[in-house]
């Protein structure tokens, strides 16, 4: 009980401190911008710990963060195996294939304004559809192993990426293209030196959306059949056998991987599109 | 009109490609069936045929290619087959007066729609309230916004079975609640981001003008920030409702639900009836289209009445 009260007090103290920082003149500091959310996250984890142990919540319902961390540390071998199966083989393969294919096709159809006008509304519509539902069909086509997961990911990331790239390629205005023409630049030169760089913010937007979709696709596809490894497999069997702490450890892995993937794409975006207003400091 | 023609041409091309793909996809199943029915097939035996490519099979057995277009359990059904299955489970049921029977997709779509709308309502409310708090309080902006972004990089489907177990343990009846929570989780983020952008859309000079009028924060909110945010709101609502539908279907997939479009997909997979999966997918697509279109119309009407460009 004391832990519960203690954690609540800590959480409120952290909030008050964040309030102080947010209203102080140093608030735009890089350190402050990172410090504030990180401390709040830590305090929330501690509050979770306090609530679970203080109120005596059964670990079958919600394990404490310390239990999850202990399970995480004890079962790194299983977690690594699942990580390789789901993320490296399923999600990343599909992500690379799907995004590359969408990018290449976007550049190709961009040459014809007819195709662009025809494909853009359809692509926009398909991007809004619940494509994850296609997972069981693809699992029955490509078998239980990671190939079917990669296929689901390819289908899921393809349309958001296509739509964003096509939109990005249309970003340059007539003035800029005219300038390239006065330089006697050919199609390829205009594409490489003007239109692709201008499209990069959109391309990276698509890549970021696709990075979260890739993990979702790979995990959902495993619910429909997988070899006896993989994050989705472990989660669905773990829920069934009530080894909830292992499930939470997998969720932690998924969260870390998702954040790292997104962060990685954002970092590359920062390097590539340093000139864009949204990246300037 | 300028876009209608290209869209139709591209759609026709997609359907044509689909039809062309049906033959190689289904040739093995068609040959297996033909062989079982006693027809001579080259080469004989399903195991031997696995060694041969589908193109070879199609050249060697030209008579059986057409059978691939009329299988009961095709690997890839034709669009017409999917349409017929959809009609059989919707329109025909209505004509028979059993629109709400357990076999009717209308019933399953209504279950999915219900959870989607609850999730949408919950997610939108959370998103808008969060955006208002973030715009007005710096500490919320600094400490909550990064976590909102991180929350979206976590694959929610990993959490979906957990949410269902949790709500079952907490004694929440029915499968609607966990599904609605999942769809709210997917739906709140676009609304939050859109609303933050929208509420911050008024320029400094507009805000200054209201300050010279001695307007309170409340008045500034209702008379300037809120109206200015509406175009952003509607755009993100359209993304939000599509995400909410995805969330509901994902919530139905891994959890052994028995009603709802996601459950139809699951059951179709377990019972080996691909047509049921395809029909449910098509129904989900139609549902998504209808919901987004409704919001689009609402957006046009509202913005027009407010005198904003649409």
């Amino acid at each position: 009980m004391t832990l519960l009260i203690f954690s609540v007090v800590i959480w409120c103290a952290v909030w008050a401190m964040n309030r102080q920082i947010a209203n102080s003149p140093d608030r735009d500091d890089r350190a402050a911008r990172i410090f504030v959310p990180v401390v709040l996250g830590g305090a929330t984890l501690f509050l979770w710990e306090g609530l679970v142990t203080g109120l005596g919540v059964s670990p079958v319902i919600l394990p404490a963060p310390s239990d999850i961390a202990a399970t995480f540390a004890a079962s790194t071998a299983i977690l690594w195996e699942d990580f390789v199966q789901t993320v490296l083989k399923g999600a990343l393969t599909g992500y690379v294939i799907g995004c590359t294919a969408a990018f290449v096709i976007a550049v190709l159809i961009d040459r014809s304004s007819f195709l662009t006008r025809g494909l853009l509304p359809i692509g926009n519509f398909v991007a809004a559809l619940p494509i994850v539902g296609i997972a069981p069909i693809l699992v029955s086509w490509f078998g239980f192993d990671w190939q079917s997961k990669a296929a689901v990911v390819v289908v899921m990331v393809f349309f958001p990426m296509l739509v964003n790239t096509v939109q990005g390629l249309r970003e340059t205005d007539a003035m800029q293209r005219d300038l390239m023409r006065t330089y006697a630049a050919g199609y390829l030169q205009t594409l490489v030196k003007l239109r692709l760089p201008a499209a990069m913010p959109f391309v990276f937007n698509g890549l970021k959306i696709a990075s979260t979709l890739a993990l979702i696709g790979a995990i959902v596809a495993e619910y429909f059949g997988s070899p006896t490894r993989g994050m989705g497999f472990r989660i669905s069997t773990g829920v069934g056998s009530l080894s909830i702490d292992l499930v939470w450890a997998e969720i932690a892995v998924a969260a870390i991987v998702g954040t790292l993937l997104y962060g990685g794409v954002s970092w590359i975006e920062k390097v590539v599109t340093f000139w864009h207003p949204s990246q300037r400091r | 009109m300028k876009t209608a023609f290209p869209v139709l041409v591209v759609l026709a091309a997609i359907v044509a490609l689909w039809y062309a793909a049906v033959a190689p996809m289904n040739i093995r199943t068609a040959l297996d069936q033909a062989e079982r029915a006693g027809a001579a097939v080259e080469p004989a035996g399903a195991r031997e045929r696995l060694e041969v490519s589908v193109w070879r099979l199609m050249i060697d057995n030209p008579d059986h290619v057409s059978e691939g277009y009329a299988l009961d359990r095709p690997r890839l059904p034709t669009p017409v087959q999917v349409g017929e299955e959809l009609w059989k489970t919707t329109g025909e049921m209505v004509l028979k007066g059993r629109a709400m029977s357990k076999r009717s997709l209308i019933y399953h779509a209504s279950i999915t729609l219900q959870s989607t709308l609850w999730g949408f309502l919950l997610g939108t409310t959370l998103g808008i309230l969060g955006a208002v708090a973030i715009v007005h309080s710096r500490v919320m902006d600094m400490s909550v916004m990064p976590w909102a972004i991180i929350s979206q990089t976590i694959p929610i489907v990993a959490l979906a079975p957990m949410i269902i177990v949790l709500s079952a343990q907490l004694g929440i009846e029915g499968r609607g609640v966990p599904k609605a929570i999942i769809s709210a989780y997917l739906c709140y983020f676009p609304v939050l981001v859109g609303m933050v952008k929208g509420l911050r859309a008024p320029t400094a000079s507009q805000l200054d003008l209201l300050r010279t009028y001695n307007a309170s924060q409340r008045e500034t909110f209702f008379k300037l920030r809120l109206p200015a945010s509406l175009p952003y709101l509607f755009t993100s609502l359209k993304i939000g409702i599509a995400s909410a539908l995805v969330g509901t279907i994902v919530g139905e997939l891994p959890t052994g639900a028995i009603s709802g479009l996601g459950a139809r997909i699951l059951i179709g997979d377990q019972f080996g009836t691909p047509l049921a999966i395809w029909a449910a997918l098509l129904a989900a697509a139609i549902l998504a289209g209808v919901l987004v279109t409704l919001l689009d119309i609402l957006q046009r009407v509202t913005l027009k009445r407010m005198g904003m460009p649409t």
Side-chain angles (χ1 to χ4, degrees), chain A residues 22 27 37 41 61 114 117 136-137 141 212 220 223-224 239 247-248 258-259, chain B residues 2 6 25 75 138 142-143 147 152-153 157 162 165-166 253-254 265 269 278:
Chain A
R27 62 166 178 261
I61 296 178
F114 183 82
R117 266 183 291 145
I137 296 170
W141 285 0
T212 42
V220 168
Y223 294 138
F224 290 99
V239 168
V247 173
W248 277 102
T259 311
Chain B
K2 231 181 124 192
M25 285 297 290
R75 288 183 79 192
R138 205 164 274 132
M142 281 183 82
S143 37
W147 286 107
Q152 293 305 298
T153 65
V157 287
M162 265 334 295
V165 168
L166 260 178
L253 281 179
I265 294 174
D269 179 50
W278 284 93

mmCIF file of all heavy atoms in Angstrom, chain A residues 22 27 37 41 61 114 117 136-137 141 212 220 223-224 239 247-248 258-259, chain B residues 2 6 25 75 138 142-143 147 152-153 157 162 165-166 253-254 265 269 278:
data_model
loop_
_atom_site.group_PDB
_atom_site.id
_atom_site.type_symbol
_atom_site.label_atom_id
_atom_site.label_comp_id
_atom_site.label_asym_id
_atom_site.label_seq_id
_atom_site.Cartn_x
_atom_site.Cartn_y
_atom_site.Cartn_z
ATOM 1 N N ALA A 22 8.050 23.368 -18.232
ATOM 2 C CA ALA A 22 7.339 23.811 -19.435
ATOM 3 C C ALA A 22 7.083 25.310 -19.413
ATOM 4 O O ALA A 22 6.935 25.927 -20.466
ATOM 5 C CB ALA A 22 6.018 23.062 -19.557
ATOM 6 N N ARG A 27 12.444 26.120 -21.856
ATOM 7 C CA ARG A 27 11.605 25.014 -22.311
ATOM 8 C C ARG A 27 11.910 24.579 -23.733
ATOM 9 O O ARG A 27 11.596 23.465 -24.101
ATOM 10 C CB ARG A 27 10.137 25.405 -22.198
ATOM 11 C CG ARG A 27 9.796 26.591 -23.066
ATOM 12 C CD ARG A 27 8.333 26.762 -23.215
ATOM 13 N NE ARG A 27 8.058 27.922 -24.018
ATOM 14 C CZ ARG A 27 7.732 29.094 -23.501
ATOM 15 N NH1 ARG A 27 7.623 29.251 -22.217
ATOM 16 N NH2 ARG A 27 7.511 30.121 -24.297
ATOM 17 N N PRO A 37 9.212 14.321 -21.470
ATOM 18 C CA PRO A 37 8.427 13.095 -21.724
ATOM 19 C C PRO A 37 9.053 11.841 -21.122
ATOM 20 O O PRO A 37 8.325 10.953 -20.664
ATOM 21 C CB PRO A 37 8.377 13.003 -23.250
ATOM 22 C CG PRO A 37 9.430 13.890 -23.742
ATOM 23 C CD PRO A 37 9.642 14.947 -22.716
ATOM 24 N N GLY A 41 7.213 9.277 -18.642
ATOM 25 C CA GLY A 41 7.068 7.868 -18.951
ATOM 26 C C GLY A 41 7.554 6.994 -17.804
ATOM 27 O O GLY A 41 6.886 6.038 -17.407
ATOM 28 N N ILE A 61 -4.004 -10.908 -14.867
ATOM 29 C CA ILE A 61 -4.686 -9.784 -15.502
ATOM 30 C C ILE A 61 -3.665 -8.775 -16.005
ATOM 31 O O ILE A 61 -3.621 -8.450 -17.192
ATOM 32 C CB ILE A 61 -5.654 -9.118 -14.512
ATOM 33 C CG1 ILE A 61 -6.743 -10.107 -14.141
ATOM 34 C CG2 ILE A 61 -6.252 -7.868 -15.129
ATOM 35 C CD1 ILE A 61 -7.706 -9.578 -13.135
ATOM 36 N N PHE A 114 -2.420 10.492 -67.473
ATOM 37 C CA PHE A 114 -3.664 9.722 -67.511
ATOM 38 C C PHE A 114 -3.663 8.663 -66.411
ATOM 39 O O PHE A 114 -4.595 8.554 -65.615
ATOM 40 C CB PHE A 114 -3.793 9.067 -68.888
ATOM 41 C CG PHE A 114 -5.058 8.297 -69.076
ATOM 42 C CD1 PHE A 114 -6.229 8.945 -69.412
ATOM 43 C CD2 PHE A 114 -5.081 6.925 -68.921
ATOM 44 C CE1 PHE A 114 -7.403 8.241 -69.587
ATOM 45 C CE2 PHE A 114 -6.247 6.210 -69.083
ATOM 46 C CZ PHE A 114 -7.411 6.877 -69.427
ATOM 47 N N ARG A 117 -3.876 10.200 -62.921
ATOM 48 C CA ARG A 117 -5.229 10.619 -62.541
ATOM 49 C C ARG A 117 -6.120 9.421 -62.253
ATOM 50 O O ARG A 117 -7.014 9.479 -61.425
ATOM 51 C CB ARG A 117 -5.837 11.480 -63.652
ATOM 52 C CG ARG A 117 -5.621 12.961 -63.422
ATOM 53 C CD ARG A 117 -6.286 13.761 -64.502
ATOM 54 N NE ARG A 117 -5.610 13.585 -65.784
ATOM 55 C CZ ARG A 117 -6.224 13.571 -66.956
ATOM 56 N NH1 ARG A 117 -7.539 13.718 -67.005
ATOM 57 N NH2 ARG A 117 -5.546 13.409 -68.061
ATOM 58 N N PRO A 136 -5.404 -14.026 -44.177
ATOM 59 C CA PRO A 136 -5.634 -15.471 -44.293
ATOM 60 C C PRO A 136 -5.497 -15.982 -45.721
ATOM 61 O O PRO A 136 -4.992 -17.091 -45.948
ATOM 62 C CB PRO A 136 -7.064 -15.651 -43.777
ATOM 63 C CG PRO A 136 -7.664 -14.317 -43.773
ATOM 64 C CD PRO A 136 -6.555 -13.349 -43.564
ATOM 65 N N ILE A 137 -5.911 -15.154 -46.701
ATOM 66 C CA ILE A 137 -5.797 -15.582 -48.091
ATOM 67 C C ILE A 137 -4.330 -15.752 -48.467
ATOM 68 O O ILE A 137 -3.919 -16.765 -49.043
ATOM 69 C CB ILE A 137 -6.467 -14.543 -49.014
ATOM 70 C CG1 ILE A 137 -7.959 -14.476 -48.710
ATOM 71 C CG2 ILE A 137 -6.232 -14.871 -50.466
ATOM 72 C CD1 ILE A 137 -8.656 -13.341 -49.379
ATOM 73 N N TRP A 141 -1.973 -18.941 -49.614
ATOM 74 C CA TRP A 141 -1.256 -18.971 -50.900
ATOM 75 C C TRP A 141 0.216 -19.274 -50.713
ATOM 76 O O TRP A 141 0.804 -20.029 -51.467
ATOM 77 C CB TRP A 141 -1.373 -17.625 -51.627
ATOM 78 C CG TRP A 141 -2.705 -17.403 -52.251
ATOM 79 C CD1 TRP A 141 -3.776 -18.244 -52.234
ATOM 80 C CD2 TRP A 141 -3.110 -16.250 -52.990
ATOM 81 N NE1 TRP A 141 -4.825 -17.679 -52.905
ATOM 82 C CE2 TRP A 141 -4.448 -16.457 -53.382
ATOM 83 C CE3 TRP A 141 -2.482 -15.066 -53.358
ATOM 84 C CZ2 TRP A 141 -5.155 -15.525 -54.117
ATOM 85 C CZ3 TRP A 141 -3.181 -14.139 -54.083
ATOM 86 C CH2 TRP A 141 -4.505 -14.367 -54.464
ATOM 87 N N THR A 212 4.932 1.462 -39.587
ATOM 88 C CA THR A 212 4.021 0.938 -38.564
ATOM 89 C C THR A 212 3.136 -0.154 -39.152
ATOM 90 O O THR A 212 2.860 -1.155 -38.489
ATOM 91 C CB THR A 212 3.128 2.047 -37.977
ATOM 92 O OG1 THR A 212 2.703 2.873 -39.032
ATOM 93 C CG2 THR A 212 3.854 2.861 -36.959
ATOM 94 N N VAL A 220 -0.230 -9.753 -37.462
ATOM 95 C CA VAL A 220 -1.576 -10.278 -37.697
ATOM 96 C C VAL A 220 -1.523 -11.556 -38.537
ATOM 97 O O VAL A 220 -2.233 -12.521 -38.262
ATOM 98 C CB VAL A 220 -2.466 -9.219 -38.390
ATOM 99 C CG1 VAL A 220 -3.738 -9.843 -38.898
ATOM 100 C CG2 VAL A 220 -2.795 -8.127 -37.422
ATOM 101 N N TYR A 223 -1.269 -14.759 -36.754
ATOM 102 C CA TYR A 223 -2.437 -15.312 -36.075
ATOM 103 C C TYR A 223 -3.119 -16.370 -36.942
ATOM 104 O O TYR A 223 -3.907 -17.170 -36.453
ATOM 105 C CB TYR A 223 -3.447 -14.218 -35.733
ATOM 106 C CG TYR A 223 -2.958 -13.216 -34.723
ATOM 107 C CD1 TYR A 223 -3.211 -11.865 -34.892
ATOM 108 C CD2 TYR A 223 -2.257 -13.613 -33.590
ATOM 109 C CE1 TYR A 223 -2.772 -10.938 -33.966
ATOM 110 C CE2 TYR A 223 -1.813 -12.690 -32.677
ATOM 111 C CZ TYR A 223 -2.075 -11.355 -32.860
ATOM 112 O OH TYR A 223 -1.640 -10.442 -31.959
ATOM 113 N N PHE A 224 -2.838 -16.355 -38.248
ATOM 114 C CA PHE A 224 -3.525 -17.279 -39.154
ATOM 115 C C PHE A 224 -2.690 -18.494 -39.491
ATOM 116 O O PHE A 224 -2.992 -19.220 -40.413
ATOM 117 C CB PHE A 224 -3.922 -16.561 -40.445
ATOM 118 C CG PHE A 224 -4.994 -15.585 -40.244
ATOM 119 C CD1 PHE A 224 -4.704 -14.248 -40.111
ATOM 120 C CD2 PHE A 224 -6.310 -15.990 -40.141
ATOM 121 C CE1 PHE A 224 -5.696 -13.340 -39.887
ATOM 122 C CE2 PHE A 224 -7.306 -15.086 -39.920
ATOM 123 C CZ PHE A 224 -6.997 -13.753 -39.788
ATOM 124 N N VAL A 239 -1.497 -15.795 -24.674
ATOM 125 C CA VAL A 239 -2.785 -15.416 -24.107
ATOM 126 C C VAL A 239 -3.595 -16.656 -23.773
ATOM 127 O O VAL A 239 -4.234 -16.745 -22.724
ATOM 128 C CB VAL A 239 -3.555 -14.507 -25.091
ATOM 129 C CG1 VAL A 239 -4.993 -14.350 -24.668
ATOM 130 C CG2 VAL A 239 -2.893 -13.153 -25.178
ATOM 131 N N VAL A 247 3.771 -12.509 -22.839
ATOM 132 C CA VAL A 247 3.052 -11.717 -23.839
ATOM 133 C C VAL A 247 3.443 -10.255 -23.730
ATOM 134 O O VAL A 247 3.729 -9.587 -24.733
ATOM 135 C CB VAL A 247 1.529 -11.878 -23.655
ATOM 136 C CG1 VAL A 247 0.795 -10.922 -24.576
ATOM 137 C CG2 VAL A 247 1.105 -13.297 -23.937
ATOM 138 N N TRP A 248 3.506 -9.766 -22.485
ATOM 139 C CA TRP A 248 3.870 -8.352 -22.311
ATOM 140 C C TRP A 248 5.305 -8.109 -22.726
ATOM 141 O O TRP A 248 5.641 -7.035 -23.240
ATOM 142 C CB TRP A 248 3.636 -7.908 -20.873
ATOM 143 C CG TRP A 248 2.207 -7.540 -20.635
ATOM 144 C CD1 TRP A 248 1.259 -8.296 -20.024
ATOM 145 C CD2 TRP A 248 1.554 -6.328 -21.039
ATOM 146 N NE1 TRP A 248 0.058 -7.642 -20.020
ATOM 147 C CE2 TRP A 248 0.203 -6.426 -20.633
ATOM 148 C CE3 TRP A 248 1.971 -5.179 -21.700
ATOM 149 C CZ2 TRP A 248 -0.723 -5.422 -20.854
ATOM 150 C CZ3 TRP A 248 1.046 -4.180 -21.923
ATOM 151 C CH2 TRP A 248 -0.280 -4.306 -21.515
ATOM 152 N N GLY A 258 9.016 -1.079 -33.091
ATOM 153 C CA GLY A 258 8.222 -0.095 -33.818
ATOM 154 C C GLY A 258 8.792 1.295 -33.667
ATOM 155 O O GLY A 258 8.945 2.040 -34.639
ATOM 156 N N THR A 259 9.160 1.649 -32.424
ATOM 157 C CA THR A 259 9.694 2.981 -32.181
ATOM 158 C C THR A 259 11.040 3.157 -32.875
ATOM 159 O O THR A 259 11.299 4.199 -33.485
ATOM 160 C CB THR A 259 9.841 3.212 -30.672
ATOM 161 O OG1 THR A 259 8.625 2.835 -30.043
ATOM 162 C CG2 THR A 259 10.140 4.653 -30.370
ATOM 163 N N LYS B 2 -13.211 14.737 -65.432
ATOM 164 C CA LYS B 2 -11.829 14.647 -65.871
ATOM 165 C C LYS B 2 -11.120 13.454 -65.236
ATOM 166 O O LYS B 2 -10.194 12.915 -65.802
ATOM 167 C CB LYS B 2 -11.094 15.941 -65.499
ATOM 168 C CG LYS B 2 -10.356 16.554 -66.681
ATOM 169 C CD LYS B 2 -9.626 17.805 -66.250
ATOM 170 C CE LYS B 2 -8.153 17.690 -66.591
ATOM 171 N NZ LYS B 2 -7.347 18.723 -65.958
ATOM 172 N N PRO B 6 -10.265 8.221 -66.567
ATOM 173 C CA PRO B 6 -9.043 7.470 -66.219
ATOM 174 C C PRO B 6 -9.281 6.445 -65.116
ATOM 175 O O PRO B 6 -8.763 5.319 -65.196
ATOM 176 C CB PRO B 6 -8.075 8.550 -65.744
ATOM 177 C CG PRO B 6 -8.589 9.815 -66.270
ATOM 178 C CD PRO B 6 -10.041 9.675 -66.495
ATOM 179 N N MET B 25 -3.755 -19.272 -61.241
ATOM 180 C CA MET B 25 -3.904 -19.520 -59.812
ATOM 181 C C MET B 25 -4.728 -20.783 -59.545
ATOM 182 O O MET B 25 -4.502 -21.497 -58.578
ATOM 183 C CB MET B 25 -4.597 -18.333 -59.126
ATOM 184 C CG MET B 25 -3.748 -17.111 -58.931
ATOM 185 S SD MET B 25 -2.327 -17.380 -57.864
ATOM 186 C CE MET B 25 -3.112 -17.580 -56.285
ATOM 187 N N ARG B 75 -8.657 -20.881 -55.275
ATOM 188 C CA ARG B 75 -7.605 -20.122 -54.587
ATOM 189 C C ARG B 75 -7.816 -18.642 -54.833
ATOM 190 O O ARG B 75 -7.617 -17.830 -53.954
ATOM 191 C CB ARG B 75 -6.232 -20.541 -55.111
ATOM 192 C CG ARG B 75 -5.796 -21.911 -54.672
ATOM 193 C CD ARG B 75 -4.408 -22.196 -55.170
ATOM 194 N NE ARG B 75 -3.411 -21.531 -54.341
ATOM 195 C CZ ARG B 75 -2.131 -21.421 -54.678
ATOM 196 N NH1 ARG B 75 -1.722 -21.906 -55.819
ATOM 197 N NH2 ARG B 75 -1.276 -20.839 -53.889
ATOM 198 N N ARG B 138 1.113 24.084 -22.063
ATOM 199 C CA ARG B 138 2.423 23.778 -22.592
ATOM 200 C C ARG B 138 2.948 22.466 -22.020
ATOM 201 O O ARG B 138 3.641 21.719 -22.703
ATOM 202 C CB ARG B 138 3.369 24.920 -22.262
ATOM 203 C CG ARG B 138 4.513 24.993 -23.221
ATOM 204 C CD ARG B 138 5.212 26.309 -23.146
ATOM 205 N NE ARG B 138 4.601 27.313 -23.975
ATOM 206 C CZ ARG B 138 4.320 28.544 -23.558
ATOM 207 N NH1 ARG B 138 4.532 28.877 -22.311
ATOM 208 N NH2 ARG B 138 3.795 29.427 -24.373
ATOM 209 N N MET B 142 4.391 19.301 -24.099
ATOM 210 C CA MET B 142 5.740 18.762 -23.987
ATOM 211 C C MET B 142 5.751 17.317 -23.523
ATOM 212 O O MET B 142 6.590 16.532 -23.952
ATOM 213 C CB MET B 142 6.570 19.612 -23.025
ATOM 214 C CG MET B 142 7.065 20.874 -23.659
ATOM 215 S SD MET B 142 8.099 21.794 -22.535
ATOM 216 C CE MET B 142 9.661 20.965 -22.716
ATOM 217 N N SER B 143 4.838 16.957 -22.611
ATOM 218 C CA SER B 143 4.977 15.606 -22.053
ATOM 219 C C SER B 143 4.052 14.578 -22.689
ATOM 220 O O SER B 143 4.359 13.391 -22.664
ATOM 221 C CB SER B 143 4.785 15.635 -20.539
ATOM 222 O OG SER B 143 3.808 16.559 -20.167
ATOM 223 N N TRP B 147 4.508 10.989 -26.418
ATOM 224 C CA TRP B 147 3.966 9.660 -26.130
ATOM 225 C C TRP B 147 2.831 9.310 -27.075
ATOM 226 O O TRP B 147 2.645 8.143 -27.416
ATOM 227 C CB TRP B 147 3.502 9.565 -24.675
ATOM 228 C CG TRP B 147 4.669 9.471 -23.763
ATOM 229 C CD1 TRP B 147 5.133 10.448 -22.926
ATOM 230 C CD2 TRP B 147 5.578 8.382 -23.621
ATOM 231 N NE1 TRP B 147 6.258 10.027 -22.278
ATOM 232 C CE2 TRP B 147 6.559 8.765 -22.677
ATOM 233 C CE3 TRP B 147 5.672 7.130 -24.202
ATOM 234 C CZ2 TRP B 147 7.606 7.927 -22.299
ATOM 235 C CZ3 TRP B 147 6.715 6.303 -23.826
ATOM 236 C CH2 TRP B 147 7.668 6.699 -22.884
ATOM 237 N N GLN B 152 1.621 5.286 -31.485
ATOM 238 C CA GLN B 152 1.214 4.812 -32.802
ATOM 239 C C GLN B 152 2.257 3.917 -33.439
ATOM 240 O O GLN B 152 1.968 3.192 -34.388
ATOM 241 C CB GLN B 152 0.925 5.992 -33.723
ATOM 242 C CG GLN B 152 -0.276 6.770 -33.287
ATOM 243 C CD GLN B 152 -1.500 5.893 -33.151
ATOM 244 O OE1 GLN B 152 -1.967 5.291 -34.107
ATOM 245 N NE2 GLN B 152 -2.028 5.782 -31.941
ATOM 246 N N THR B 153 3.496 3.974 -32.954
ATOM 247 C CA THR B 153 4.503 3.088 -33.528
ATOM 248 C C THR B 153 4.420 1.703 -32.899
ATOM 249 O O THR B 153 5.029 0.767 -33.366
ATOM 250 C CB THR B 153 5.914 3.648 -33.317
ATOM 251 O OG1 THR B 153 6.186 3.657 -31.909
ATOM 252 C CG2 THR B 153 6.027 5.055 -33.838
ATOM 253 N N VAL B 157 -2.039 -4.445 -32.815
ATOM 254 C CA VAL B 157 -2.508 -5.831 -32.897
ATOM 255 C C VAL B 157 -1.808 -6.704 -31.885
ATOM 256 O O VAL B 157 -2.340 -7.718 -31.445
ATOM 257 C CB VAL B 157 -2.284 -6.409 -34.291
ATOM 258 C CG1 VAL B 157 -3.240 -5.816 -35.242
ATOM 259 C CG2 VAL B 157 -0.864 -6.198 -34.734
ATOM 260 N N MET B 162 -4.488 -9.021 -25.688
ATOM 261 C CA MET B 162 -4.359 -8.596 -24.291
ATOM 262 C C MET B 162 -5.570 -7.792 -23.835
ATOM 263 O O MET B 162 -6.109 -8.012 -22.757
ATOM 264 C CB MET B 162 -3.133 -7.689 -24.147
ATOM 265 C CG MET B 162 -1.849 -8.304 -23.732
ATOM 266 S SD MET B 162 -1.956 -9.774 -22.811
ATOM 267 C CE MET B 162 -2.738 -9.214 -21.364
ATOM 268 N N VAL B 165 -8.440 -10.095 -23.258
ATOM 269 C CA VAL B 165 -8.312 -10.856 -22.009
ATOM 270 C C VAL B 165 -8.578 -9.947 -20.805
ATOM 271 O O VAL B 165 -9.339 -10.289 -19.895
ATOM 272 C CB VAL B 165 -6.900 -11.473 -21.915
ATOM 273 C CG1 VAL B 165 -6.647 -12.017 -20.523
ATOM 274 C CG2 VAL B 165 -6.754 -12.573 -22.925
ATOM 275 N N LEU B 166 -7.959 -8.762 -20.851
ATOM 276 C CA LEU B 166 -8.110 -7.820 -19.748
ATOM 277 C C LEU B 166 -9.568 -7.488 -19.492
ATOM 278 O O LEU B 166 -10.059 -7.566 -18.364
ATOM 279 C CB LEU B 166 -7.361 -6.528 -20.073
ATOM 280 C CG LEU B 166 -5.995 -6.366 -19.432
ATOM 281 C CD1 LEU B 166 -5.368 -5.070 -19.895
ATOM 282 C CD2 LEU B 166 -6.134 -6.365 -17.920
ATOM 283 N N LEU B 253 -10.235 -10.272 -35.613
ATOM 284 C CA LEU B 253 -9.481 -11.361 -36.259
ATOM 285 C C LEU B 253 -8.886 -12.371 -35.287
ATOM 286 O O LEU B 253 -9.178 -13.551 -35.382
ATOM 287 C CB LEU B 253 -8.378 -10.770 -37.142
ATOM 288 C CG LEU B 253 -8.826 -10.250 -38.507
ATOM 289 C CD1 LEU B 253 -7.653 -9.684 -39.257
ATOM 290 C CD2 LEU B 253 -9.451 -11.365 -39.317
ATOM 291 N N PRO B 254 -8.014 -11.936 -34.347
ATOM 292 C CA PRO B 254 -7.253 -12.966 -33.635
ATOM 293 C C PRO B 254 -7.957 -13.484 -32.400
ATOM 294 O O PRO B 254 -7.374 -14.195 -31.614
ATOM 295 C CB PRO B 254 -5.988 -12.207 -33.231
ATOM 296 C CG PRO B 254 -6.436 -10.811 -33.058
ATOM 297 C CD PRO B 254 -7.649 -10.606 -33.893
ATOM 298 N N ILE B 265 -14.165 -13.452 -41.844
ATOM 299 C CA ILE B 265 -12.889 -13.760 -42.500
ATOM 300 C C ILE B 265 -12.218 -14.922 -41.777
ATOM 301 O O ILE B 265 -11.752 -15.880 -42.394
ATOM 302 C CB ILE B 265 -11.983 -12.512 -42.497
ATOM 303 C CG1 ILE B 265 -12.605 -11.418 -43.368
ATOM 304 C CG2 ILE B 265 -10.590 -12.848 -42.986
ATOM 305 C CD1 ILE B 265 -11.895 -10.106 -43.325
ATOM 306 N N ASP B 269 -11.566 -18.703 -43.165
ATOM 307 C CA ASP B 269 -10.236 -19.298 -43.195
ATOM 308 C C ASP B 269 -10.256 -20.675 -42.551
ATOM 309 O O ASP B 269 -9.687 -21.633 -43.064
ATOM 310 C CB ASP B 269 -9.258 -18.368 -42.465
ATOM 311 C CG ASP B 269 -7.846 -18.930 -42.434
ATOM 312 O OD1 ASP B 269 -7.362 -19.322 -43.514
ATOM 313 O OD2 ASP B 269 -7.245 -18.985 -41.358
ATOM 314 N N TRP B 278 -13.573 -13.604 -49.255
ATOM 315 C CA TRP B 278 -13.566 -12.525 -50.245
ATOM 316 C C TRP B 278 -14.809 -11.662 -50.124
ATOM 317 O O TRP B 278 -14.736 -10.434 -50.253
ATOM 318 C CB TRP B 278 -13.453 -13.117 -51.648
ATOM 319 C CG TRP B 278 -12.074 -13.583 -51.966
ATOM 320 C CD1 TRP B 278 -11.578 -14.832 -51.789
ATOM 321 C CD2 TRP B 278 -10.994 -12.803 -52.476
ATOM 322 N NE1 TRP B 278 -10.268 -14.880 -52.165
ATOM 323 C CE2 TRP B 278 -9.874 -13.657 -52.600
ATOM 324 C CE3 TRP B 278 -10.866 -11.470 -52.858
ATOM 325 C CZ2 TRP B 278 -8.652 -13.222 -53.083
ATOM 326 C CZ3 TRP B 278 -9.635 -11.037 -53.340
ATOM 327 C CH2 TRP B 278 -8.554 -11.896 -53.448
#
